[in-house]
Amino acid sequence: MDINTEHTSANHHISYFVAEHKSGLKIIYYPIKCSQTWANLKVGFGSIDNRFSADGRVFSLPDGTAHFLEHKMFDRADGKDLGAILAANGADANAYTSESETVYMFSCTEKFEDSLEIFLGSVTTPFFTKETVQKEMPIISEEIDMYRDIPDSRLLSRLLRSLYRTHPARNNVEGNKKSIKAVTPEILYTSANYFYTPSNMALCVAGKSDFKKISDICDRVFGTGQAHRGVCKRLPIEEQPTVFRRSVTLYDNISCPKIAIGIKISDIPQDAGERFRMRIYLRMITRILFGQTSVFSLSLCSRRIAVSPPCTDVVTEKDIAYIQLSADCRDPKAFSSEFFSYVDKTLESGIQEVEVEGGRRAMYGAFLSDSDSSEAMSDILLSYAFEGVDPTETVEYMLGITPEKLSEVLKSIYTKDKISVVTMLPKKQDERKTK
């Protein structure tokens, strides 16, 4: 297999290689001298992919199927566990499921190619029985309880349920105790056969390896016709542009109140390049307005409204997009009021050049820092794999962003009916209120 494209950013000393295997698998290799070599395998199957059509049929999957499948792909027909096998070979494996993807990964300091072949062979060879599926249910049920007992997890979960009315993004990635009981070996095999195909996967290797060796391993693993298991089409998901709930209050066993604010993005570009640019705009806006050194964060902390600067996240996928910020705060009402007031004032005055320059410097510094890490770059390069976008262009594009453009984007996304505020208060406040 030949390398299709070499991506080089001369100004930032970054170079990586991209090729498409004959099976349809996209392969990305980022050579870097470091102690650990990382391999990440991304599958385009997440919690929102619960309805699709294939072979003239429409399939509906129980909530949590993608996460359940992630757990069971570590099982092998020989009865051994993939994680244990890799650990015996000196590698550390893990996996996660999000709304739009499932990612398997491992890292090691030696015997990388040996581990890679074991890893790919296992993750792409499903094996389920009624007994092993039943055995997994209490494990996932315990995980559901664990997340439910974490206040921050409950807070952000409720935020998604407030942002979305009908979209499956409002449901927990791991599903619920009722939905996972509906998962069967047949459902898992159906999901694997239609989604775990090489053309719906991407492999990224970052560290010390050899592209020819990686290619040869892929020939052995994917060269047996697995690319033609099945072809499916995700069914359209209907969702209103406005939020489902603008304000929600929860009570939990916490000592300090918490708040989460979400901005729902309804106009999502379907073109990968445009979505890539939108992601940069939103990340820059979020960093400038709500980052740790922003006027907003420093003011809230100095006035003791917030305990610490808010945590922020930007999600941009084909079907969902939103900005979220959350924080522990002594006065949630004051925090919410300051948020709306601060954004209103920013819209009036516009985002300033000095703020944009500060955002550029911060994002550029983070990018350079990540480029020295095999772990970070394997994640970054893989995140853009399905979109055909070169992430090294992030810096170049970012440098051309103007205050006027960011102000325009902020104005387009900031409307009150697209913002949800979820507050979590200590239970004792609720008890005093009812007495």
Side-chain angles (χ1 to χ4, degrees), residues 1 15 20 70 121 203-204 212 231 233 250-251 271-272 384 420:
M1 178 182 62
S15 180
E20 185 171 309
E70 171 220 311
L203 170 68
C204 182
K212 177 64 167 58
V231 177
K233 180 180 180 181
L250 307 175
Y251 296 90
D271 176 75
Y384 293 91
S420 288

Side-chain angles (χ1 to χ4, degrees), residues 308-435:
S308 59
C311 298
T312 61
D313 192 18
V314 175
V315 174
T316 52
E317 303 290 349
K318 286 184 178 180
D319 295 316
I320 57 171
Y322 57 88
I323 296 172
Q324 73 176 36
L325 60 151
S326 59
D328 290 351
C329 58
R330 296 178 178 86
D331 189 342
K333 288 184 179 180
F335 188 106
S336 177
S337 177
E338 288 291 327
F339 167 83
F340 287 105
S341 175
Y342 180 67
V343 178
D344 285 338
K345 290 178 181 177
T346 302
L347 285 172
E348 291 179 8
S349 61
I351 296 175
Q352 304 301 308
E353 173 60 33
V354 64
E355 295 174 314
V356 177
E357 179 59 26
R360 291 194 196 106
R361 290 178 180 274
M363 292 181 70
Y364 180 58
F367 183 81
L368 288 182
S369 176
D370 287 340
S371 68
D372 289 331
S373 165
S374 57
E375 179 181 4
M377 287 304 291
S378 63
D379 183 59
I380 291 171
L381 294 173
L382 195 65
S383 67
Y384 293 91
F386 286 174
E387 299 184 348
V389 176
D390 181 3
T392 62
E393 295 177 2
T394 300
V395 175
E396 305 298 338
Y397 189 77
M398 180 185 63
L399 295 176
I401 293 178
T402 64
E404 293 76 18
K405 181 61 181 178
L406 292 185
S407 297
E408 176 188 326
V409 172
L410 177 61
K411 184 177 181 180
S412 70
I413 65 171
Y414 180 74
T415 57
K416 299 294 194 301
D417 59 1
K418 293 185 180 180
I419 298 175
S420 288
V421 179
V422 178
T423 300
M424 180 177 285
L425 300 175
K427 271 189 175 180
K428 59 182 181 180
Q429 293 190 16
D430 181 40
E431 292 167 357
R432 285 201 301 266
K433 181 179 178 182
T434 57
K435 287 182 179 179

Side-chain angles (χ1 to χ4, degrees), residues 57 78 108 113 142 216 235 259 273-274 293 322 366 369 405 429:
R57 297 175 58 192
D78 59 9
C108 60
E113 286 76 19
E142 185 176 337
D216 289 344
L235 297 181
I259 190 170
E274 292 183 12
T293 59
Y322 57 88
S369 176
K405 181 61 181 178
Q429 293 190 16

Side-chain angles (χ1 to χ4, degrees), residues 143-155:
E143 185 176 350
I144 291 171
D145 286 337
M146 179 189 71
Y147 284 121
R148 187 181 295 170
D149 290 339
I150 300 173
D152 285 333
S153 178
R154 282 194 62 215
L155 180 73

Side-chain angles (χ1 to χ4, degrees), residues 157-173:
S157 176
R158 191 53 180 268
L159 179 64
L160 287 176
R161 294 184 70 83
S162 300
L163 288 173
Y164 293 97
R165 282 181 174 81
T166 58
H167 197 289
R170 74 192 308 270
N171 301 323
N172 292 334
V173 169

